[in-house]
Amino acid sequence: RHNTIDNAMLSMLSTPTRLWLMRKFINGAIYLKHTLTGRVPVHQVYDTLLPVLHHHHPPADDGSAPSDLTPVALPARVYMPEGEGPFPLVIFFHGGGFVMCSIESHDSVCRSISSKSGCVVISVEYRLAPEYPFPVPVEDAYASFVYLHAHAGEFKADPNIIILAGDSAGGNLSIVCSQLASQRNGPKLKGMVLIYPSTDLGGTGVHYPSYDGPSVGLKKEHRELFMQCYLQNENDKFDLRASPIMASDDTLRLSPPTLVITADLDRLRDPGEAYAQKLTHADVPVELKR
């Protein structure tokens, strides 16, 4: 059976309430897609959120300014392999265009990574746009990386073997955290796993062919609206924390060995592969799988 949400009903609710409701719906739909039916089209899941995001950006629900970078406690979920440890640590940032998904929607992914790799996996729920636009998710992700490095032993993890991983927007955050760690003398990384990462939010000005090609899930209008919600102004897209593909070779050269996974029918395929090529040019060990 198909559940429908009437736009007239949504219009009766406040924007923060609509966002909360739709995110709950989306997380449930993605959970069903991964674990039960496998029949929920991804583009339908995205479509349910579009009418809500077209409204004006709501204020942050805690009364703070949308760009407030004051440290906050972030939800996280820990996945432990069997054994005594210490284990390698994978810090995972979920995708969702910076506006949706959560540790719930990516639960099955993180469980699988932990069970098959023998790593501790910690999935971090960073704050989302439009309530918390760029650069709040970036700083949330980096702060969680620094904290988990300092407290790795509490999770039977080895602080010297940390891998950042994420899909789509989470891949973007993983890359940016790596670059920030180099700039801020932060923790050292053993590697990155980037799953169809979003590497260019428009900073290069390149219009990649995959943006117009066939795509399973992410429509052109989805991507454009997600960027409108995430970036606060036109200049943000030129910030390396938004478009990390623009980093210089000297910066890229400090990246850890990286696995980049792309999908043939995906709008993020070409910028993800272009980033892998730039890492190769900077002499970083890279494995690219499509």
Side-chain angles (χ1 to χ4, degrees), residues 37-38 42 48 57 77-78 89 124 157 165 175 180 240 261:
T37 65
V42 176
T48 60
H57 293 186
R77 183 167 292 174
V78 182
L89 172 59
V124 177
I175 298 170
L180 289 178
L240 294 184
I261 301 171

Side-chain angles (χ1 to χ4, degrees), residues 57-264:
H57 293 186
D61 57 12
D62 60 2
S64 63
S67 59
D68 186 4
L69 299 179
T70 303
V72 297
L74 299 172
R77 183 167 292 174
V78 182
Y79 303 82
M80 300 289 296
E82 294 184 0
E84 295 300 320
F87 303 102
L89 172 59
V90 174
I91 302 174
F92 187 89
F93 302 115
H94 66 78
F98 304 101
V99 304
M100 56 181 271
C101 296
S102 68
I103 57 178
E104 297 289 348
S105 62
H106 286 62
D107 178 75
S108 62
V109 174
C110 293
R111 287 182 186 275
S112 179
I113 293 173
S114 181
S115 65
K116 293 180 179 179
S117 68
C119 296
V120 173
V121 176
I122 301 182
S123 179
V124 177
E125 189 160 308
Y126 53 91
R127 289 175 289 178
L128 299 173
E131 301 98 315
Y132 297 98
F134 174 85
V136 175
V138 169
E139 296 300 335
D140 281 357
Y142 184 74
S144 66
F145 170 35
V146 173
Y147 177 89
L148 291 172
H149 170 265
H151 295 265
E154 298 174 21
F155 304 99
K156 297 183 179 180
D158 186 341
N160 297 311
I161 309 178
I162 296 181
I163 298 167
L164 294 182
D167 65 308
S168 190
N172 174 288
L173 294 176
S174 296
I175 298 170
V176 175
C177 282
S178 171
Q179 295 181 359
L180 289 178
S182 299
Q183 298 168 11
R184 301 177 182 180
N185 196 28
K188 304 300 182 184
L189 282 170
K190 275 294 184 181
M192 287 192 294
V193 178
L194 310 175
I195 307 167
Y196 42 87
S198 178
T199 64
D200 186 354
L201 302 192
T204 65
V206 175
H207 189 83
Y208 300 93
S210 61
Y211 284 174
D212 298 319
S215 177
V216 178
L218 187 65
K219 295 180 180 179
K220 184 178 180 180
E221 57 264 36
H222 297 153
R223 181 183 176 278
E224 292 174 350
L225 186 57
F226 290 165
M227 294 307 95
Q228 290 173 21
C229 290
Y230 182 53
L231 302 178
Q232 298 193 70
N233 56 64
E234 187 70 14
N235 290 330
D236 281 349
K237 67 184 180 182
F238 301 109
D239 194 308
L240 294 184
R241 296 172 297 170
S243 298
I245 195 171
M246 297 177 61
S248 67
D249 282 352
D250 287 341
T251 296
L252 292 172
R253 198 167 289 118
L254 300 175
S255 302
T258 301
L259 170 62
V260 179
I261 301 171
T262 61
D264 193 32

